[in-house]
Amino acid sequence: MISPEQVLKEKFGYDSFRHEQQAIIANVLKGSDSFVLMPTGGGKSLCYQIPALIFGGVTVVVSPLIALMKDQVDALRVNGIPAAFVNSTQDAGEQREVIDALKNNSLKLLYVSPERLFSNDGHFLNFLKKCEISLFAIDEAHCISQWGHDFRPEYRQLALLKQHFPKTPVIALTATADRQTREDILDKLNLDNPSIFVSSFNRENLFYAVEKKAEMFRKMTDYLEDHRDDSGIIYCLSRDGTESLAAKLFKKGFKAKAYHAGLDQQTRQQHQEEFLRDDIRIIVATVAFGMGINKSNVRFVIHADMPKNIEGYYQETGRAGRDGLPSDALLFYSPGDVIKLRGFATVENNFAQTEIMLAKLNKMASFCEIRTCRRKFLLNYFGEEAPVNCGNCDTCVNDYEKIDATIPAQKLLSAVFRLQGRFGANYVVDFLKGSDSEKIRAEHKLLKTYGAGAELSKNQWMDYLRDLVALGYLQQTDDKFPLLKLTEMSGPVLKGEEQVWLVKASEQKEEKKYAAKTELPYEKELFDLLKSLRKQLADDDKVPPYVIFSDATLVEMASYFPLTIDEMRKISGVGEMKLERYGGNFLKEIQQYCIDNQLSSKIHQKTVGRQPRSSAPKEKLPDTKFISLDLFKRGKSITEIAALRNFSTNTIEGHLAHYVATGEIPLEAIVERSKVPAIEDAIQRYGNNALKPLKDALGDEFSYGEIKAVIAWMERNL
Ligand code: ADP
Ligand code: ZN
């Protein structure tokens, strides 16, 4: 018998199981019932898809949203897995085809809605009894419970399933259920001594943030501007809200469209399709959108209105970052929303349920108002322990708490003292951090203070340094390259006679930063090329792009540069079927890119058997600057290097300027001696913060590269 690991690698192209997938699959293969609670994006589907491929018969997947079945089936077929769905959107002919396939036992997975399963007085059910059914998978199982937040009456009939198929194993899966709902699901489904698998709810790649609702549109468009290449979902409470926001965004030039249950079927379908296929970037939707959405490259979810409860919030934000790459969850909050939502929380003639809904609403409001870690709040809500500070939510990264900073202050002041007030902020901090850059003079590397501040990041030191200047413990000269000097306030601090309290320096700048810009060391340019290739192939095959390869898979390609079929096989997410179908196209693109940029494969750095995120190479990619330096040292001129590398001479000058700063090449190699004074003069007048004004002042005879080189040279000779 083929093993689950083999199926995982050959069919899906993944190296290892996540969470409890392995244990769950083993339990299912044993023929036992299972209950699986795993966050969105955790990988629930494989828990029944892999057994489905190992079992002899067909696995029936019950799923509530017929609109999305096609998508799931497409994704399976691209991996070469025979799958189909039956629902009311198909005509008689299409349904017949599926029925025939079932009769021939030629399907591995069948997706069906609960109403279809129990339709025609159990006609379909009776038909299924004659087929070889290996397993029932109940997706979104919380829909069966009235205690849940998304009760669906048609799910109630599933209580009968075990009576009809007492011997067939059942696996129930959900991404959200509090304890009460959990018990209710088990009770309603009549599972037979089920094994229960609860995974952590922590979605570590999601950055949670709450913003005040005032000036929402401006804040939102600022964010969207910053994330031009990303796609995401914006949730609104009302249908009108989605339409007016989508229209406003569209006017501003964002490719956004609305989605809600009030739109006619065709429009709704079309908008969804456009979003899935990356034809539009933003979908502005009510909660009607998204359940079961498999699009894995959703980089952000924005709530323009507060959701009704934590479950909904968690599930909606969970649609971001299913591929495991950093993504943002941003909520705009106003207390007015809470009052509005109270009106909706009332369930007519059902006092008990109204109480539950109101309590859930209040919890949601608390989430927005806390000043402690939001992730901890969420995890605790779902009954999980969590550390006090997650480092990846707005309250954790924007920590304005004041602390006793006497020691870091002393370190900074003594660094300035040791350097005799003859260096600027950058140098002082690099020196303090013990940078091994050649910029730091050899004699300074012998001083005791050198490297005494390795415990903080450069940004953190810069924050402290700015504060110390602002408070008068240090002063900065007015020179063109300002130098740091001690003041009469410095002495008592250095002698330990005075304490210094500063705002605790955090990794982030005051301006709120969101996570979605991934810092993985991949070649962005290649990634973009691969993305457009993917889009083209997807359009040809009439499937959404992420069905071909996820963003995470493309990031791996753009990090490791696989250059042969065998190397391509090592990329996570490249199964045999996809390798055969798409491998060649992607290889060609990567090969060309590597030739153009003189890069070689780094596949040997990929450790098989770990998750893509953690196995991404930590060290830097071969530096493009370094290639220029290498050619330069081998006697090539700037123009020759530019031609060889297919870059502008400007770019090459920029590369070489870097090595002027480190002293590896003399300034004269880039700039004619006679041009230097004019550039120096301009820098003196306009400063060196921006190149544009310098270039404007100097005119066409001077290139950006030359200006950069002189700046580098002046910095070195400081
Ligand atoms: P869920 O249904 O729990 O929301 P999915 O089953 O859709 O999540 O899985 C989310 C994404 O993670 C999919 O792109 C899936 O292919 C991928 N995935 C699942 N399991 C693994 C694994 N073991 N290794 C790598 N990727 C995985
Ligand atoms: Zn946090």
Side-chain angles (χ1 to χ4, degrees):
M1 195 172 77
I2 186 165
S3 73
E5 287 78 11
Q6 263 172 302
V7 179
L8 181 72
K9 184 65 200 163
E10 281 168 24
K11 290 289 179 182
F12 298 94
Y14 298 133
D15 298 324
S16 57
F17 286 111
R18 273 186 193 164
H19 295 292
E20 294 191 85
Q21 281 174 334
Q22 196 162 22
I24 297 166
I25 291 168
N27 193 59
V28 172
L29 288 175
K30 228 169 55 185
S32 309
D33 286 351
S34 323
F35 174 76
V36 173
L37 188 63
M38 201 189 269
T40 313
K44 285 187 288 300
S45 322
L46 290 188
C47 297
Y48 55 83
Q49 287 170 351
I50 288 184
L53 291 170
I54 295 175
F55 282 138
V58 61
T59 291
V60 176
V61 186
V62 181
S63 164
L65 275 189
I66 53 179
L68 299 159
M69 288 179 185
K70 185 175 172 308
D71 189 42
Q72 286 164 327
V73 167
D74 280 345
L76 286 166
R77 287 187 180 163
V78 168
N79 277 322
I81 297 166
F85 61 87
V86 266
N87 65 38
S88 50
T89 65
Q90 294 164 307
D91 60 35
E94 286 170 320
Q95 298 211 15
R96 175 114 315 264
E97 245 176 69
V98 179
I99 301 287
D100 287 345
L102 280 170
K103 280 184 184 157
N104 303 332
N105 194 17
S106 64
L107 283 181
K108 285 279 115 193
L109 285 123
L110 174 75
Y111 285 77
V112 59
S113 60
E115 51 272 39
R116 184 69 181 80
L117 188 60
F118 295 97
S119 65
N120 297 349
D121 288 334
H123 202 74
F124 189 62
L125 215 57
N126 285 329
F127 165 72
L128 286 182
K129 282 183 192 165
K130 286 183 241 148
C131 305
E132 188 187 343
I133 309 287
S134 309
L135 171 70
F136 279 101
I138 317 290
D139 209 2
E140 314 285 357
H142 61 275
C143 292
I144 202 173
S145 171
Q146 289 212 42
W147 300 114
H149 59 102
D150 191 22
F151 171 58
R152 291 173 180 246
E154 64 275 17
Y155 255 62
R156 249 189 309 214
Q157 303 176 84
L158 288 170
L160 300 172
L161 198 61
K162 269 284 165 187
Q163 285 178 27
H164 288 287
F165 296 87
K167 294 215 181 72
T168 312
V170 173
I171 176 170
L173 311 103
T174 176
T176 88
D178 54 30
R179 194 160 292 281
Q180 199 174 17
T181 313
R182 238 180 265 180
E183 278 160 20
D184 200 30
I185 296 171
L186 293 173
D187 179 47
K188 293 271 157 41
L189 282 177
N190 277 314
L191 297 188
D192 178 16
N193 195 16
S195 301
I196 297 171
F197 300 92
V198 180
S199 297
S200 168
F201 269 55
N202 187 11
R203 294 287 313 278
E204 46 186 53
N205 61 322
L206 294 193
F207 180 89
Y208 297 103
V210 178
E211 283 276 355
K212 290 207 180 69
K213 209 163 176 170
E215 286 194 87
M216 176 171 80
F217 190 68
R218 183 191 57 76
K219 290 177 187 165
M220 194 185 278
T221 48
D222 281 354
Y223 177 88
L224 297 174
E225 265 320 323
D226 272 358
H227 296 79
R228 277 258 156 220
D229 298 331
D230 298 336
S231 69
I233 309 171
I234 303 179
Y235 281 110
C236 298
L237 193 58
S238 74
R239 297 174 179 186
D240 289 352
T242 64
E243 294 203 28
S244 62
L245 183 55
K248 261 170 88 180
L249 287 172
F250 208 89
K251 245 202 203 144
K252 275 253 173 185
F254 298 101
K255 282 190 169 179
K257 290 198 176 164
Y259 183 103
H260 59 74
L263 291 172
D264 65 82
Q265 167 76 18
Q266 201 196 341
T267 314
R268 212 163 62 204
Q269 188 72 26
Q270 190 195 331
H271 289 183
Q272 176 177 308
E273 200 84 331
E274 285 173 333
F275 179 65
L276 296 183
R277 300 205 166 164
D278 289 345
D279 289 329
I280 57 168
R281 210 161 66 77
I282 302 162
I283 195 103
V284 188
T286 60
V287 291
F289 180 81
M291 198 195 225
I293 280 278
N294 275 328
K295 185 176 166 73
S296 63
N297 61 335
V298 174
R299 286 276 76 82
F300 59 84
V301 166
I302 297 178
H303 280 93
D305 299 299
M306 191 181 82
K308 296 185 188 109
N309 48 52
I310 301 278
E311 286 88 346
Y313 172 76
Y314 180 81
Q315 197 167 45
E316 283 142 31
T317 53
R319 291 180 186 131
R322 292 169 80 121
D323 50 16
L325 299 179
S327 307
D328 291 326
L330 171 59
L331 186 159
F332 288 100
Y333 171 70
S334 110
D337 278 2
V338 185
I339 296 164
K340 220 178 350 177
L341 284 168
R342 287 217 174 101
F344 294 106
T346 319
V347 184
E348 226 166 290
N349 299 325
N350 193 336
F351 181 73
Q353 231 198 327
T354 303
E355 286 284 280
I356 292 174
M357 294 301 154
L358 282 175
K360 285 184 189 285
L361 175 62
N362 287 339
K363 268 287 187 194
M364 187 66 228
S366 312
F367 172 83
C368 297
E369 281 165 4
I370 49 164
R371 297 189 57 96
T372 49
C373 177
R374 299 204 200 269
R375 186 179 312 274
K376 179 172 165 55
F377 186 99
L378 287 177
L379 292 176
N380 290 352
Y381 181 83
F382 293 113
E384 230 179 281
E385 299 287 317
V388 178
N389 185 310
C390 76
N392 195 27
C393 74
D394 56 350
T395 56
C396 285
V397 301
N398 293 292
D399 198 344
Y400 297 129
E401 174 200 356
K402 281 207 164 184
I403 56 155
D404 179 351
T406 310
I407 294 192
Q410 283 172 334
K411 286 184 178 178
L412 269 171
L413 298 184
S414 68
V416 171
F417 175 68
R418 296 278 165 208
L419 298 172
Q420 299 169 333
R422 285 172 32 215
F423 293 85
N426 267 309
Y427 193 96
V428 169
V429 169
D430 284 345
F431 164 77
L432 197 54
K433 278 188 64 64
S435 155
D436 54 18
S437 153
E438 297 187 39
K439 270 198 218 176
I440 306 291
R441 296 187 184 175
E443 69 268 27
H444 289 159
K445 290 186 179 168
L446 303 173
L447 297 174
K448 217 169 68 190
T449 329
Y450 172 70
E455 74 277 16
L456 296 181
S457 71
K458 184 155 182 178
N459 279 341
Q460 290 172 313
W461 280 119
M462 283 296 185
D463 283 349
Y464 281 143
L465 197 147
R466 258 177 243 121
D467 286 353
L468 288 174
V469 171
L471 294 169
Y473 291 105
L474 272 176
Q475 69 170 31
Q476 254 175 331
T477 62
D478 292 324
D479 300 281
K480 59 180 193 286
F481 294 116
L483 306 177
L484 283 171
K485 306 227 177 251
L486 296 182
T487 70
E488 68 247 37
M489 285 172 68
S490 313
V493 178
L494 279 169
K495 286 186 217 137
E497 295 163 4
E498 191 182 324
Q499 270 195 338
V500 183
W501 287 78
L502 299 175
V503 169
K504 188 173 171 187
S506 70
E507 258 314 311
Q508 303 289 317
K509 291 270 180 263
E510 286 101 50
E511 190 57 29
K512 277 193 186 168
K513 283 239 174 83
Y514 301 102
K517 285 194 177 144
T518 152
E519 292 292 331
L520 285 177
Y522 64 91
E523 289 274 300
K524 173 83 170 66
E525 211 182 318
L526 176 58
F527 177 69
D528 288 342
L529 288 169
L530 298 177
K531 241 164 74 169
S532 48
L533 172 63
R534 175 179 70 176
K535 172 75 178 125
Q536 206 184 315
L537 295 170
D539 287 350
D540 292 349
D541 282 3
K542 299 198 169 49
V543 293
Y546 61 88
V547 162
I548 294 192
F549 288 128
S550 72
D551 278 15
T553 298
L554 299 191
V555 165
E556 278 211 1
M557 290 184 194
S559 305
Y560 297 117
F561 320 132
L563 296 174
T564 64
I565 294 272
D566 264 348
E567 292 185 346
M568 191 58 120
R569 196 174 266 128
K570 300 208 171 103
I571 298 292
S572 175
V574 183
E576 286 305 314
M577 190 71 185
K578 287 186 180 176
L579 184 64
E580 192 174 304
R581 207 184 291 195
Y582 305 114
N585 290 307
F586 283 85
L587 275 176
K588 236 187 265 161
E589 193 76 54
I590 298 167
Q591 287 162 348
Q592 188 57 49
Y593 185 85
C594 286
I595 291 170
D596 293 348
N597 295 283
Q598 307 204 351
L599 297 168
S600 50
S601 165
K602 298 178 58 115
I603 198 76
H604 60 281
Q605 294 185 352
K606 182 171 150 59
T607 23
V608 176
R610 267 197 281 150
Q611 304 225 342
R613 284 171 270 180
S614 48
S615 68
K618 289 284 180 293
E619 75 249 56
K620 280 214 178 124
L621 291 166
D623 199 328
T624 175
K625 291 197 287 287
F626 185 77
I627 297 171
S628 298
L629 174 69
D630 191 45
L631 290 167
F632 185 79
K633 281 187 167 166
R634 285 195 263 148
K636 298 264 184 279
S637 73
I638 290 174
T639 336
E640 281 169 335
I641 301 172
L644 261 170
R645 303 201 58 198
N646 205 9
F647 283 140
S648 70
T649 47
N650 243 325
T651 308
I652 304 299
E653 284 171 343
H655 289 170
L656 298 180
H658 173 80
Y659 295 103
V660 170
T662 64
E664 297 228 35
I665 44 184
L667 179 65
E668 290 81 355
I670 302 181
V671 194
E672 275 172 46
R673 261 263 157 243
S674 61
K675 282 174 142 183
V676 176
I679 302 177
E680 259 188 308
D681 189 51
I683 294 171
Q684 241 148 49
R685 254 185 297 149
Y686 299 98
N688 66 351
N689 290 329
L691 291 176
K692 180 89 171 60
L694 290 171
K695 172 85 171 105
D696 289 347
L698 287 160
D700 285 345
E701 281 176 47
F702 297 81
S703 71
Y704 276 110
E706 290 174 319
I707 301 170
K708 272 193 216 161
V710 175
I711 291 175
W713 174 75
M714 285 170 80
E715 241 159 358
R716 176 169 172 76
N717 291 293
L718 204 66

